[in-house]
């Protein structure tokens, strides 16, 4: 079995045929975004080195940066221990977020937990 | 509205009432794991500062490290641009992965994409 086939056979997709993919900046280690892939998008990502995702709202594949130019060159793809999440190490051109932020987590609301002192 | 209520109102849970949560090591920036939270697990994480998830297979909440001792102290919780993913900055005690690896992505199969040269 080729390395690619073995990798694909270890990936576990959910009932909708999708797997969550975390894109992490190879240089800064920032978590840039989480998006979803179907098996074909994962295969294309591996075949082309360009992050390709599956839009749940539009029910179609999209190549990251195809319209915006803010592409994601994928340097490695890694499955977690139970094969149901993918971690991409990427070279991000421009902002990763459609809002213009570097990361999709840059502008989201954030809170600091309060430790239970009771 | 309190900061916590506002945060909770911005979180978007899927049809099963869950949101994916990425735990990132606060010190090393490693992505340690992805797990799921229901609204109550997210609220408890925020209330206690200890990462609390929801097991899809067991259909119950679990506090990270409750049995293993490998707890996750949560320093901040951040939503992404569309509110459907959570990013936790954590202080991880011991390995984050049940396999004994530091990260759930440490031992998973990985591949390097081959760029399409056609």
């Amino acid at each position: 079995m080729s390395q690619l086939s073995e990798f694909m056979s270890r990936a576990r997709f959910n009932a909708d045929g999708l797997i969550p993919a975390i894109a992490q900046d190879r240089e800064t280690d920032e978590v840039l975004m989480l998006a979803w892939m179907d098996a074909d998008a994962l295969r294309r990502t591996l075949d082309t080195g360009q992050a390709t995702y599956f839009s749940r709202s539009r029910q179609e594949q999209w190549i990251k940066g195809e319209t915006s130019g803010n592409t994601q060159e994928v340097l490695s793809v890694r499955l977690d221990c139970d094969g149901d999440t993918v971690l991409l190490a990427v070279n991000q051109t421009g902002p990763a977020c459609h809002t213009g932020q570097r990361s999709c987590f840059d502008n989201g609301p954030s809170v600091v937990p309060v430790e239970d002192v009771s």
Side-chain angles (χ1 to χ4, degrees), chain A:
Chain A
M1 203 190 287
S2 74
Q3 196 195 10
L4 178 60
S5 306
E6 199 193 328
F7 184 89
M8 290 302 300
S9 74
R10 300 272 294 268
R12 282 174 50 205
F13 298 88
N14 69 12
D16 296 325
L18 302 176
I19 191 167
I22 303 163
Q24 184 176 29
D25 191 297
R26 170 68 161 253
E27 219 162 285
T28 64
D29 285 338
E30 270 172 299
V31 173
L32 298 172
M33 56 185 280
L34 180 141
W36 294 81
M37 292 179 173
D38 62 354
D40 192 56
L42 178 53
R43 217 174 281 115
R44 285 186 191 214
T45 298
L46 293 169
D47 282 346
T48 64
Q50 290 297 317
T52 305
Y53 298 106
F54 187 86
S55 166
R56 294 171 300 169
S57 54
R58 299 194 308 274
Q59 287 288 305
E60 62 180 23
Q61 273 181 30
W62 54 289
I63 298 170
K64 177 73 185 160
E66 197 174 33
T67 52
S68 65
N70 300 327
T71 53
Q72 272 176 356
E73 182 195 0
V74 178
L75 302 173
S76 74
V77 182
R78 195 172 279 277
L79 281 166
D80 72 351
C81 52
D82 50 9
D84 64 3
T85 304
V86 156
L87 179 63
L88 313 174
V90 305
N91 276 335
Q92 174 68 49
T93 301
C97 188
H98 71 285
T99 61
Q101 300 289 320
R102 175 77 185 161
S103 155
C104 288
F105 297 94
D106 272 352
N107 237 6
S110 75
V111 284
V112 174
V114 180
E115 262 196 73
D116 190 352
V117 290
S118 64

